[in-house]
C-alpha cells in the first residue's frame, strides 16, 4: 500500500492549526505555513485540491469551516489520501454525533488525537471502521461512578474482530424487536444547455442500512438491476416480469457483502454489521428520470435592466412532492433593485452570492411554478465586459422517488432462530449539482 | 466630525472588524455593497444624511481594497451640497475615488469652480485642497493630467485662472491664498501652460511683496518651480528675493509664529536661496553686495548648539547658503570663510553635522581655488576616516580623493595605505582603487608609485582588482629605468612568508621580465629567483600558474650561459604541466618546453615584452564608473577628469580590457618582441597557430586588440592593397603620425616614397643594447636582425621579410664597413617572394676598437617605386665587450697600475641626461660594462669593468669609474685586455659627471671614453617618450675621431 500522508492538519478558515499529527518525519513541522501563505491567502484556494510547494504536495479539502490538509513529500497515492480524509471525517462524525466543524474539533481534542493515532500508522491508513474503533476507543465523557455494571459489557476480542471471519459483527446480540432499515439515496447531477439539451447527466446512489437484528442473521437483497434479474431469469428459466431493469455502473460493496456469492449468483447476500452502515454505492449514467425541468428566459434590456423569467416543472408522479426546492438565478454584480412575482414560494436577492434565490418549501409532482423578476442595475464607472451568465443552480429533495428507477425487489433475513423481522425501505432523490445554463 | 451620529456606519465597521476571516469579510462587504446599490437606486428616498453615510461606507470599502465602481455620481453630487459636512465628504470621496473617470471629473469642475469663486473661505479651501489631491494623490490621475488627456487638461485649464485670481486677490485671507499658491504649483507641475509667462512674471513679483510669511512661503515654492523652468522671465523677482532674505536675516517684522527656535522662518530662507540658485548670476553690484551681506550674516551667525531642532533648522539654512555661495562663485575670502566653517563642522562630535560638513566640502571642491584652504583641514579629514560611522568614512574618503594633488598626494596615499589594513571590507576595494589612482596620478616619482602599489597589494590583496596590478606592469614595462627597481622590490616581497596571490602574480611577472637586471645582486641569480617563485606554485590558482610558467620560461632564457640544473628543473615542471587539465596551462607548458628545447636561437622570442600602447588609465575609468550615482560625486568626477587631462604625463598606458583580453592572454604563448621576425619565429608561431590560439596571421585593422598587436608580427604581412595604410606592430606611438606623414612628403624626395614605420634611429639604439629586433620596417618590408657575439666575432642574421602579396624585386644589400670591422654578407637574393622571408647571414670580425658603425645600403623595388635606405648596423663597440666583474682587490691594483693618458683618460662630461645612479648602473650593465657596486667607498661613484675583444688586442680589461670629487689615484700597469671605468657623479648636479676610463690600449681608452660619453649624453631613453626627437647619433658628435671622417661608412652614418 502506498503512503497516503506524511502529516495531516486541520485548519480553520483563518488558517490557524486546530489539530495536527505528523506521521512521518520527512516533512517539516512548518510546512503548513507554506500552505497558509501560498494557498489559503491567495485566490487559488479552492481551484485545485492538489498543490505542490517546495518539495511537498498538499492535498486539501474543505469540510464545513475546516480545511483538512494532507502533506506528503514523496509520491503518494492521492486517491487513497482523499479517501482516507473522507473516511476519517465520517468516523469523526459518527463519534461526535453528526457534526464536524471547528467547535466539534475543539471539543474533542483528546478523542481526535487518539483516533488519529489509530487510523493511520506511519502514513499508511489503518482500520477506519467506526463499528470496530468504537469498541476500543471509548471517550464517551466521564463515566458516572454509579453505573458500575462493567461486567455486563462483553470483553472485546480484538483479534477476532480484526482477523475473524465476521470481523464486523459481534456475536450474541439480542434485540427485542428485530428491525432493518434500508434507504436508497440518490443525487442527480445535471448540466443542461440553455436550449434544453442535456450536456451531462448522471446519478450517484448509495444504499444505507441500519440493522437492529439479533444473532448472526444472513440477509439477501434483491434489486431490479439488470445483472441480477438476468441471472435470476437464467436460473429459474422464466422471463422477467417487470419490463424495466436498471444497469448499475461502478458498484462497490461494503466488506460484509459476500463477493463470491455475488459473483456466482449475482445476489447481494451479507451478514450485516450492527447499526448503521453503507451497504453499496453505484452510479447510473443512462435512463435517468430528471425530477425537474427548468425553462429560463433572461433578457437584458439595455444596460440597466434585466428581465428574468424562470419556469420550473416537476415531472415526477403527481402523488409525490419535492421538499426544500431552491432555485438560484445568478444576476450581474451591479444589481441594485429587484422586483419579483412568483406563483409559489418566495424569492429574494442575495448580494453575497449575486443571485436571486427562489425557495419553494413543497413542490407537488406534475405541477409548474414560475418566477418573473425585474432586475435594475446601477451604472458603474468601469466598462465591464458583458455579463458571463453563470448557470442557474437548483437544490431539492424528492422522497420516495429514485431518479434511476431502482427498486428493492426483496430483502430476506434468515437467522437460525427464525425470528420475524420488520423491514423498512425508503427512497430519496436529492440534487447534486443540478445546473441549467441560461 | 459629524460621524458620531452614523450608527449604520459604525455597525458596519465593527462587523467588518469582527470578521474571523477574509471570506466572511467579503460576504459582509458584498452584502453591504448590495445594500448601498439598492439604496442609491431609490434615490428619492435618500436624505443627505443617508447619502453621506453610504458614501462614507463606500470609501471605507474602497480603503479595504475592494473594487467600488459605482456611486461616484452620489459622491460628486455631495460636493454641491450646501452644508459643510456633506461637502467635505463629497470632496474627500471624490478626490479618493475619482481616479480614472474623467467624465465625472468634468461634472465636478463646475461645482469646484463655483466654490472657488464663491465667498465662503472654507469652501474655497476645500475646493483647492481637492484640486491638489486629485492632482497629487493619484498617479493615474496625474498621468491623465500630464499627458494630453482632455479631461485632466480641461480640469487644469478651466480652474487655473480662478486659482490665480484667488492667489493675487487682496481680499482673500492668507489661508486661502496660501492654498491657492500651492494649488497653482500643482497645476503648473502637471501642465506648465496654465501659467502664462508674460502676464504672470509681474504678478509673481508683486506676490513677493507680500508681508504675510505663510503666503510668501507658498509663493516661493511656486517661484522655485517657475524659475527652475525658465529663469529669464522672472528676473524681476530676483531683487525681491534678496529683499526677503534681508528681511529674514535681519529678523525684521517677523511674527512670532514664524520664528522657529529663534530662526526666522527657516523654510522660507531655504526656499528663497534655492530660487536664487536658479538664476545664473547676479549682475547688479548692489544686489550682489546686499546678498553677500546676508550670506555673510548667515555664515557668521550659525553655530552648533545643543538643541537638535535648532541645529537642524540653522544648518538647513546654512547649507543652502553654502550652496548659494558656491553657485555665485563668491570671492575667495568668502569661500575661505565657508571652508573654515565647514572645517569647524567636521570637527564636531555630532555625526550628522560632520557628514554634512564633509559632503559639502567635497561639493566645494568643484570650485577649484578653495582646494588650498581645504587642505588645511587635511588632518581633520583623515581623522574622519577613522570615524565609527561608515557613511562619514565614505565621505571622508571621497573628500580625500577629491582634494588630493601633487603636493599632498604622498601624505594622503600613505594615510590611505595605513588605513587600508584597518578599514572594513565593504570599503576596501574602493579604498584600494582610489589609492591606486591617486598614486598613479600624482606620483612624484615612479618608484614611489611602484612602492605604493606593491604595498597596496601586500596589505589588501583581495581588494586589489586586476586593473591595478595590470597598471603597474604597464608602467614598469614602459619605463626602463623603473625596471630594476621594480624587480628588486618584487624580489623583496617574495621573501615574505605569506603573500597574496596577486603579489605572486606581479612579482612573478616582473621578475620574469626584468629579473635578469638584478642578476648581479646577492640572492637574485636566476636560480634563486626561480626557486623562490617556485615555492609559491603549489598554493596559487590556475591563472597564476600560467603566469608562473611564463616566468620560468623567461628565467630559463635569461640564465645565460644555461644552467643545466635549472634547465632540468624547469623542464620537469613544463613536462608535468603538459598534461594539465587546464588548456591554457597545458598549452603554455607544451610550447615553452618546445621553445626552450630549441636553445638559444629561439630565445629572443621570449625577450622583453614590447611597450604597451599609451591609453587612458583603466583605473580612472573604473573609478568614474563607480561614481556615477550621486550628483556630488559627479562634480568630483568632473574635476578628476580635468585633472586626468592635465596630468597626462603620468597616465602613460592602459591595457585594453574592453575586449576582454586579460594580460594573461597577452603573456600567453611565446611573447615575440614585436621587432623580430625570423624564420624560427614563424615556425614557432605556426606551431602555436596549429594549436589554435594564435590565429593572428592575417592583417587586421590597426585598432586590433592588444593580443593581436603583440602577436601579430609573427606573420609578415602587407597592406591589403597597394600602398594604403598598414597595420604596424611598432612599439612606439609614432606609427600613426608617420603613416599620416606620407601624405605630406614633398614630391621631390622620390627616392623614399615609402616612409619607414617607426623611428629608425630609435630602433638602432634599441639594438645597440639588445641582440635581436627589427632594424627597419616600412609598409612593404621588414628587416629584422639577430646577432650573436663571441669575443671579437659577431654573427648577424638579417631577416628580410616581404610583407606583401606581391614580390619585391631588385633587392640589393650592400655593406659599407668601417675600417675596424671586417664584414662579410652572404648573397642577398634579387627577389623576395610574396609573404616570405629570407635570411642573410653576416659575419663580423672586430679588428681594433673604434666607434664607427657599419652601414647597410639597402634598396628594393616595389611596383615602380624604388626604395633605398641606408641603415646603421648595430655592430657597435659595446658588442665586443664582455662583462667581467672584479673584486676590490683586483680592481684597485689594476686601476693604479694604469698610468695617466693616453692609457687612462679623464673627462668631465656636461649635459648628461640626469639619471638616478641606479639607472645609470643599469645602463652601464646593458652596455656590457659590469658595474661593481660597493667597490668605491663613495656611493655616488660608479665603478665598472669590462673586457674588450678585438682581433688585434684580443681581450682587454677596461675600467671605468665616476667620481664626485677628485681622488688621487696611483696608476699602475694592468693587463692590456681589461678596461676599467670610473664615473663620478655629483648628487647636486646630475647633469655633469667626471668619467675616467682606463685600459691597456690608448685607442681603446679613447674610443671607449667617447662612446660612453655619447651614450651618457644621449641616453636612448628618449624612446620612452614617443614624441621625443630621435637622439642624435653618437657618430655625429663633434668629438668623433678624425679618422672616422675618412671612413666612408662613418660618413654615411653621420649623414643619417
Amino acid at each position: 500500500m502506498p503512503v497516503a500522508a506524511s502529516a495531516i492538519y486541520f485548519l480553520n478558515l483563518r488558517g490557524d492549526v486546530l489539530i495536527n499529527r505528523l506521521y512521518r518525519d520527512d516533512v517539516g513541522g512548518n510546512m503548513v505555513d507554506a500552505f497558509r501563505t501560498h494557498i489559503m491567502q491567495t485566490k487559488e484556494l479552492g481551484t485545485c485540491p492538489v498543490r505542490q510547494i517546495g518539495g511537498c504536495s498538499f492535498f486539501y479539502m474543505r469540510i464545513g469551516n475546516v480545511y483538512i490538509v494532507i502533506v506528503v513529500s514523496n509520491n503518494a497515492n492521492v486517491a487513497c489520501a482523499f479517501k482516507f480524509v473522507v473516511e476519517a471525517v465520517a468516523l469523526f462524525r459518527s463519534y461526535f454525533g453528526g457534526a464536524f466543524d471547528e467547535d466539534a474539533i475543539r471539543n474533542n481534542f483528546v478523542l481526535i488525537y487518539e483516533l488519529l493515532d489509530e487510523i493511520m500508522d506511519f502514513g499508511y491508513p489503518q482500520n477506519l471502521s467506526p463499528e470496530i474503533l468504537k469498541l476500543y476507543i471509548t471517550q464517551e465523557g466521564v463515566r458516572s461512578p454509579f453505573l458500575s455494571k462493567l461486567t455486563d459489557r462483553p470483553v472485546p476480542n480484538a483479534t477476532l474482530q480484526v482477523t475473524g471471519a465476521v470481523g464486523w459483527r459481534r456475536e450474541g446480540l439480542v434485540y427485542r424487536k428485530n428491525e432493518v432499515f434500508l434507504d436508497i439515496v440518490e443525487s442527480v447531477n445535471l448540466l443542461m444547455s440553455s436550449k434544453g439539451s442535456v450536456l451531462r447527466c448522471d446519478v450517484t446512489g448509495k444504499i444505507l442500512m441500519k440493522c437492529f437484528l439479533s444473532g448472526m442473521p444472513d440477509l439477501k437483497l434483491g434489486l431490479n438491476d439488470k445483472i441480477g434479474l438476468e441471472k435470476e431469469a437464467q436460473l429459474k428459466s422464466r422471463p422477467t416480469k417487470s419490463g424495466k431493469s436498471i444497469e448499475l455502473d461502478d458498484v462497490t460493496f461494503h466488506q460484509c457483502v459476500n463477493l463470491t456469492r455475488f459473483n456466482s449468483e449475482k445476489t447481494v447476500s451479507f451478514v450485516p454489521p450492527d447499526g448503521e452502515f453503507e451497504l453499496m454505492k453505484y452510479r447510473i449514467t443512462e435512463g435517468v428520470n430528471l425530477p425537474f425541468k427548468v425553462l429560463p428566459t433572461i433578457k437584458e434590456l439595455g444596460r440597466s435592466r434585466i428581465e428574468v423569467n424562470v419556469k420550473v416543472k416537476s415531472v415526477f408522479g403527481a402523488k409525490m412532492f419535492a421538499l426544500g426546492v431552491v432555485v438560484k438565478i445568478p444576476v450581474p454584480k451591479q444589481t441594485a433593485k429587484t422586483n419579483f412575482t412568483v406563483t409559489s414560494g418566495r424569492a429574494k436577492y442575495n448580494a453575497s452570492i449575486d443571485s436571486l434565490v427562489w425557495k419553494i418549501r413543497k413542490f407537488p409532482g406534475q405541477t409548474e411554478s414560475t418566477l418573473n423578476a425585474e432586475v435594475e442595475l446601477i451604472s458603474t464607472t468601469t466598462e465591464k465586459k458583458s455579463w458571463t451568465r453563470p448557470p442557474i443552480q437548483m437544490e431539492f429533495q424528492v422522497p420516495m422517488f429514485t431518479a434511476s428507477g431502482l427498486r428493492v425487489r426483496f430483502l430476506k433475513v434468515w437467522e437460525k432462530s427464525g425470528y420475524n423481522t420488520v423491514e423498512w425501505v425508503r427512497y430519496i432523490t436529492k440534487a447534486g449539482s443540478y445546473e441549467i445554463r441560461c | 466630525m459629524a460621524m458620531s451620529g452614523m450608527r449604520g456606519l459604525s455597525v458596519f465597521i465593527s462587523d467588518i472588524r469582527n470578521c474571523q476571516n477574509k471570506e466572511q469579510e467579503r460576504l459582509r462587504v458584498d452584502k453591504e455593497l448590495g445594500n448601498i446599490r439598492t439604496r442609491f437606486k431609490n434615490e428619492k428616498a435618500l436624505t443627505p444624511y443617508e447619502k453621506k453615510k453610504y458614501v462614507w461606507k463606500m470609501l471605507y470599502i474602497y480603503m479595504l481594497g475592494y473594487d467600488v465602481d459605482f456611486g461616484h455620481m452620489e459622491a460628486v453630487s455631495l460636493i454641491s451640497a450646501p452644508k459643510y459636512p456633506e461637502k467635505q465628504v463629497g470632496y474627500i470621496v471624490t478626490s479618493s475615488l475619482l481616479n480614472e473617470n474623467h467624465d465625472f471629473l468634468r461634472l465636478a469642475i463646475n461645482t469646484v469652480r463655483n466654490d472657488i469663486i464663491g465667498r465662503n473661505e472654507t469652501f474655497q479651501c476645500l475646493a483647492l485642497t481637492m484640486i491638489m489631491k486629485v492632482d497629487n494623490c493619484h498617479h493615474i490621475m496625474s498621468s491623465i493630467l500630464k499627458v494630453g488627456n482632455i479631461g485632466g487638461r480641461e480640469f487644469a485649464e478651466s480652474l487655473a485662472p480662478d486659482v490665480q485670481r484667488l492667489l493675487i486677490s487682496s481680499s482673500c485671507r492668507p489661508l486661502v491664498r496660501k492654498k491657492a499658491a500651492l494649488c497653482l504649483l500643482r497645476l503648473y507641475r502637471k501642465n506648465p501652460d496654465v501659467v502664462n509667462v508674460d502676464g504672470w512674471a509681474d504678478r509673481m513679483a508683486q506676490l513677493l511683496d507680500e508681508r504675510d510669511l505663510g503666503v510668501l512661503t507658498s509663493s516661493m515654492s511656486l517661484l522655485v518651480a517657475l524659475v527652475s523652468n525658465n529663469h529669464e522671465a522672472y528676473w524681476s523677482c530676483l531683487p525681491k528675493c534678496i529683499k526677503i532674505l534681508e528681511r529674514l536675516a535681519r529678523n525684521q517684522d517677523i511674527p512670532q509664529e514664524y520664528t522657529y527656535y529663534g530662526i526666522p522662518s527657516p523654510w522660507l530662507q531655504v526656499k528663497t536661496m534655492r530660487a536664487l540658485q536658479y538664476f545664473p548670476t547676479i549682475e547688479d553690484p548692489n544686489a550682489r553686495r546686499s546678498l553677500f551681506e546676508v550670506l555673510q550674516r548667515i555664515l557668521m551667525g550659525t553655530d552648533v548648539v545643543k538643541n537638535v531642532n535648532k541645529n537642524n533648522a540653522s544648518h538647513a539654512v546654512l547649507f543652502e547658503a553654502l550652496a548659494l555661495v558656491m553657485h555665485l562663485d563668491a570671492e575667495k575670502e568668502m569661500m575661505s570663510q565657508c571652508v573654515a566653517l565647514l572645517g569647524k563642522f567636521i570637527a564636531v562630535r555630532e555625526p550628522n553635522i560632520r557628514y554634512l560638513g564633509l559632503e559639502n566640502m567635497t561639493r566645494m571642491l568643484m570650485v577649484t581655488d578653495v582646494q588650498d584652504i581645504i587642505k588645511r583641514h587635511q588632518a581633520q579629514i583623515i581623522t574622519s576616516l577613522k570615524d565609527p560611522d561608515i557613511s562619514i568614512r565614505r565621505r571622508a574618503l571621497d573628500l580625500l580623493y577629491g582634494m588630493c594633488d601633487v603636493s599632498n598626494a604622498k601624505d594622503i596615499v600613505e594615510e590611505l595605505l595605513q588605513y587600508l589594513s584597518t578599514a572594513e571590507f565593504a570599503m576596501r576595494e574602493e579604498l584600494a582603487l582610489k589609492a591606486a589612482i591617486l598614486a598613479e596620478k600624482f606620483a612624484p616619482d615612479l618608484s614611489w608609485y611602484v612602492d605604493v602599489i606593491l604595498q597596496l597589494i601586500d596589505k589588501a590583496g583581495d581588494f586589489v582588482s586586476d586593473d591595478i596590478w595590470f597598471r603597474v606592469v604597464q608602467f614598469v614595462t614602459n619605463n626602463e629605468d623603473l625596471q630594476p627597481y621594480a624587480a628588486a622590490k618584487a624580489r623583496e616581497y617574495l621573501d615574505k612568508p605569506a603573500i597574496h596571490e596577486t603579489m605572486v602574480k606581479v612579482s612573478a611577472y616582473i621578475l620574469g621580465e626584468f629579473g635578469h637586471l638584478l642578476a648581479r645582486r646577492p640572492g637574485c641569480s636566476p636560480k634563486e629567483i626561480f626557486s623562490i617563485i617556485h615555492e609559491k606554485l603549489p598554493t596559487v590558482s590556475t591563472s597564476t600558474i600560467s603566469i608562473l610558467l611564463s616566468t620560468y620560461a623567461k628565467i630559463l632564457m635569461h640564465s645565460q650561459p644555461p644552467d643545466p640544473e635549472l634547465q632540468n628543473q624547469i623542464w620537469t615542471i613544463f613536462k608535468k604541466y603538459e598534461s594539465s587539465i587546464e588548456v591554457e596551462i597545458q598549452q603554455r607548458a607544451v610550447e615553452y618546453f618546445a621553445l626552450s628545447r630549441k636553445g638559444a636561437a629561439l630565445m629572443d622570442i621570449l625577450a622583453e615584452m614590447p611597450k604597451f600602447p599609451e591609453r587612458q588609465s583603466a583605473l580612472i575609468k573604473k573609478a568614474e564608473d563607480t561614481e556615477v550615482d550621486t550628483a556630488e560625486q559627479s562634480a568630483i568626477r568632473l574635476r578628476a577628469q580635468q585633472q586626468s587631462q592635465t596630468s597626462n604625463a603620468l597616465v602613460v598606458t592602459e591595457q585594453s580590457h574592453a575586449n576582454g583580453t586579460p594580460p594573461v592572454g597577452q603573456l600567453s604563448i611565446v611573447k615575440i618582441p614585436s621587432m623580430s621576425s625570423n624564420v624560427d619565429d614563424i615556425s614557432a608561431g605556426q606551431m602555436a597557430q596549429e594549436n589554435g590560439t594564435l590565429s593572428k596571421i592575417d592583417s587586421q585593422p590597426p585598432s586590433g586588440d592588444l593580443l593581436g598587436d603583440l602577436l601579430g608580427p609573427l606573420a609578415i604581412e602587407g597592406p591589403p592593397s597597394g600602398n594604403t595604410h598598414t597595420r604596424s606592430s611598432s612599439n612606439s606611438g609614432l606609427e600613426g603620425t608617420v603613416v599620416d606623414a606620407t601624405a605630406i612628403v614633398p614630391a621631390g624626395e622620390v627616392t623614399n616614397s615609402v616612409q619607414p614605420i617607426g623611428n629608425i634611429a630609435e630602433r638602432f639604439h634599441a639594438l645597440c643594447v639588445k641582440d635581436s629586433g627589427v632594424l627597419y620596417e616600412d609598409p612593404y618590408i621588414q628587416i629584422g636582425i639577430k646577432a650573436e657575439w663571441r669575443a671579437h666575432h659577431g654573427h648577424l642574421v638579417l631577416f628580410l621579410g616581404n610583407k606583401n602579396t606581391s614580390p619585391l624585386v631588385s633587392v640589393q644589400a650592400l655593406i659599407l664597413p668601417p675600417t675596424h670591422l671586417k664584414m662579410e654578407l652572404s648573397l642577398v637574393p634579387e627577389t623576395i617572394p610574396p609573404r616570405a622571408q629570407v635570411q642573410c647571414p653576416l659575419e663580423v670580425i672586430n679588428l681594433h676598437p673604434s666607434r664607427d658603425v657599419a652601414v647597410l645600403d639597402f634598396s628594393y623595388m616595389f611596383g615602380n617605386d624604388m626604395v633605398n635606405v641606408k641603415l646603421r648596423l648595430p655592430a657597435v663597440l659595446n658588442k665586443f665587450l664582455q662583462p667581467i666583474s672584479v673584486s676590490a682587490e683586483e680592481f684597485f691594483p689594476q686601476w693604479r697600475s694604469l698610468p695617466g693618458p693616453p692609457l687612462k683618460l679623464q673627462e668631465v662630461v656636461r649635459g648628461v641626461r640626469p639619471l638616478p645612479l641606479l639607472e645609470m648602473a643599469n645602463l652601464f650593465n646593458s652596455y656590457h660594462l659590469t658595474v661593481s657596486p660597493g667597490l668605491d667607498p663613495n656611493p655616488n661613484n660608479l665603478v665598472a669593468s669590462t673586457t674588450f675583444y678585438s682581433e688585434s688586442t684580443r681581450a682587454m680589461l677596461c675600467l671605468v669609474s665616476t667620481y664626485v670629487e677628485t681622488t688621487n689615484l696611483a696608476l699602475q700597469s694592468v693587463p692590456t685586455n681589461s678596461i676599467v671605468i670610473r664615473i663620478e657623479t655629483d648628487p647636486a648636479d646630475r647633469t655633469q659627471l667626471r668619467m675616467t676610463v682606463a685600459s691597456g690600449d690608448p685607442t681603446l681608452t679613447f674610443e671607449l671614453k667617447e662612446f660612453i660619453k655619447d651614450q651618457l649624453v644621449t641616453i636612448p631613453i628618449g624612446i620612452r617618450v614617443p614624441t621625443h626627437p630621435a637622439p642624435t647619433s653618437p657618430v655625429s658628435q663633434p668629438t668623433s675621431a678624425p679618422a672616422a671622417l675618412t671612413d666612408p661608412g662613418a660618413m654615411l652614418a653621420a649623414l643619417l
Side-chain angles (χ1 to χ4, degrees), chain B residues 480-601:
Chain B
E480 278 172 29
D481 31 356
L482 194 58
Q483 289 163 1
Y485 179 77
K489 269 284 173 195
R491 172 73 183 75
E492 269 174 39
Y493 274 104
L494 279 180
D495 278 338
K496 288 198 169 190
I499 58 173
H500 192 263
E501 189 167 332
T502 312
M503 183 61 91
V504 177
K505 286 183 192 172
V506 188
S507 307
Y509 185 88
I510 291 180
L511 285 176
E513 288 290 315
F514 313 113
H516 60 281
L517 299 177
L518 304 176
R520 303 284 162 195
R521 300 192 185 185
C524 294
S525 71
K527 213 166 164 180
E528 281 160 315
I529 289 179
F530 165 74
S531 64
I532 196 158
I533 293 177
H534 191 55
E535 268 174 28
K536 316 289 179 198
L537 184 78
T539 57
V540 295
S541 66
T542 49
S543 67
T544 315
I545 289 179
S546 36
I547 295 179
L548 291 187
L549 289 184
S550 305
T551 306
Y552 296 162
K554 296 216 170 195
I555 291 175
L556 191 58
M557 185 266 290
H558 284 302
S559 61
Q560 292 299 357
D563 175 350
E565 198 188 329
L566 179 67
Q567 196 173 38
N568 278 336
Q569 264 180 318
I570 292 177
W571 280 356
T572 324
I573 296 165
F574 287 161
K575 274 278 176 213
K576 180 181 152 204
Y577 281 105
E578 268 177 11
S579 54
S580 168
I581 196 160
E582 286 286 322
V583 179
E584 176 70 32
I585 295 174
Q586 186 190 27
Q587 182 168 6
R588 280 180 197 233
V590 169
E591 285 169 5
Y592 291 148
F593 183 65
L595 285 172
S596 55
R597 283 293 282 270
K598 294 235 169 187

Side-chain angles (χ1 to χ4, degrees), chain B residues 1 54 139 166 171 198 209 252 278 365 394 441 531 548-549 664 729 746 757 808 821 825 831-832 869 995 1001 1025 1031:
Chain B
M1 220 179 255
Y54 291 124
H139 56 281
L166 215 54
S171 59
D198 302 331
D209 286 334
Q252 293 168 326
Y278 283 108
L365 282 170
R394 280 188 193 283
K441 269 204 305 210
S531 64
L548 291 187
L549 289 184
V664 177
S729 46
I757 296 169
L808 295 177
L821 293 177
L825 180 66
T831 337
I832 305 176
V869 283
M995 177 173 69
D1001 182 272
V1025 187

Side-chain angles (χ1 to χ4, degrees), chain B residues 368-546:
Chain B
T368 17
D369 52 342
V370 296
Q371 211 173 348
D372 301 333
I373 322 169
I374 290 180
K375 257 189 235 167
R376 280 186 226 143
H377 302 284
Q378 190 171 320
Q380 186 59 48
I381 297 165
I382 286 171
T383 331
S384 297
L385 205 56
K386 287 151 190 149
D387 196 273
D389 188 333
I390 185 161
S391 34
I392 290 184
R393 287 195 297 260
R394 280 188 193 283
R395 287 298 124 216
L397 178 61
D398 279 347
L399 183 54
L400 278 180
Y401 177 68
M403 68 188 278
C404 191
D405 62 12
V406 188
S407 64
N408 55 5
K410 219 162 175 160
D411 294 341
I412 289 182
V413 171
E414 259 155 37
E415 199 54 54
L416 291 183
L417 277 179
Q418 222 173 42
Y419 175 52
L420 192 60
S421 36
T422 53
E424 72 274 57
F425 294 122
M427 253 175 98
R428 280 199 186 177
E429 181 160 7
E430 195 189 349
L431 198 59
L433 183 67
K434 285 193 165 153
I437 292 171
L438 292 180
E440 180 186 324
K441 269 204 305 210
F442 305 114
D445 62 87
L446 290 169
S447 51
W448 178 78
Y449 169 71
V450 172
D451 277 351
V452 167
I453 302 295
L454 291 182
Q455 269 186 60
L456 205 61
I457 297 172
D458 188 37
K459 282 189 175 160
D462 283 329
F463 302 94
V464 173
S465 59
D466 281 348
D467 292 334
I468 295 177
W469 79 264
F470 294 168
R471 196 85 181 117
V472 184
V473 166
Q474 286 171 38
F475 262 108
V476 174
T477 311
N478 287 16
N479 294 285
E480 278 172 29
D481 31 356
L482 194 58
Q483 289 163 1
Y485 179 77
K489 269 284 173 195
R491 172 73 183 75
E492 269 174 39
Y493 274 104
L494 279 180
D495 278 338
K496 288 198 169 190
I499 58 173
H500 192 263
E501 189 167 332
T502 312
M503 183 61 91
V504 177
K505 286 183 192 172
V506 188
S507 307
Y509 185 88
I510 291 180
L511 285 176
E513 288 290 315
F514 313 113
H516 60 281
L517 299 177
L518 304 176
R520 303 284 162 195
R521 300 192 185 185
C524 294
S525 71
K527 213 166 164 180
E528 281 160 315
I529 289 179
F530 165 74
S531 64
I532 196 158
I533 293 177
H534 191 55
E535 268 174 28
K536 316 289 179 198
L537 184 78
T539 57
V540 295
S541 66
T542 49
S543 67
T544 315
I545 289 179
S546 36

Side-chain angles (χ1 to χ4, degrees), chain B residues 188 221-231 234 275 278-279:
Chain B
Y188 176 77
S221 302
L222 179 60
L223 180 68
V224 169
L226 293 173
V227 170
S228 68
N229 219 17
N230 175 11
H231 65 83
Y234 297 95
Y278 283 108
F279 294 102

Side-chain angles (χ1 to χ4, degrees), chain A residues 190 192-197 292-299 307-315 327 329 358 363 367-372 392 394 434-438:
Chain A
L190 170 77
M192 194 180 260
S193 78
S194 54
K195 284 171 188 147
S197 59
F292 288 101
K293 280 208 165 107
V294 181
L295 304 165
T297 39
I298 295 184
K299 274 188 250 169
E307 256 185 28
V308 181
N309 179 300
V310 180
K311 192 184 280 176
V312 180
K313 210 170 171 182
S314 58
V315 287
V327 185
I329 305 149
W358 177 24
F363 202 123
T367 54
E368 188 178 292
S369 196
T370 48
L371 168 139
N372 279 305
I392 293 173
M394 219 179 147
Y434 206 84
E435 293 181 334
I436 298 98
R437 289 187 183 160
C438 53

Side-chain angles (χ1 to χ4, degrees), chain B residues 623-741:
Chain B
E624 282 165 11
D625 289 346
T626 56
E627 274 175 5
V628 284
D629 33 8
T630 63
E632 301 89 275
Q633 280 172 330
S634 71
I636 306 168
R637 188 184 52 189
L638 195 73
R639 195 163 152 260
Q641 277 171 348
Q642 288 163 357
Q643 282 174 347
S644 69
Q645 277 158 13
T646 53
S647 65
N648 246 350
L650 269 162
V651 182
V652 183
T653 60
E654 188 231 12
Q655 281 171 312
S656 127
H657 302 301
N659 55 11
T661 312
V664 177
Q666 289 164 11
L667 303 177
S668 70
I669 326 295
V670 278
K671 189 164 51 63
I672 315 291
S674 55
M675 303 311 135
S676 80
S677 53
N678 56 37
V679 173
D680 288 333
D681 280 5
I682 287 174
S683 68
Q686 279 163 351
M687 181 187 78
Q689 281 152 21
E690 279 154 20
N691 261 331
T693 48
L694 252 189
S695 50
K696 295 288 177 190
I697 193 156
D698 298 325
S699 67
Q700 57 178 85
S703 58
D705 61 342
L706 211 51
L707 183 64
D709 282 353
L710 293 179
L711 298 172
L714 278 179
I716 301 163
E717 48 188 63
S721 67
N723 56 354
T724 47
H725 173 101
T726 98
R727 192 182 78 80
S728 155
S729 46
S730 155
N731 61 349
S732 74
L734 266 181
E735 173 203 349
T737 55
V738 171
V739 174
D740 289 345

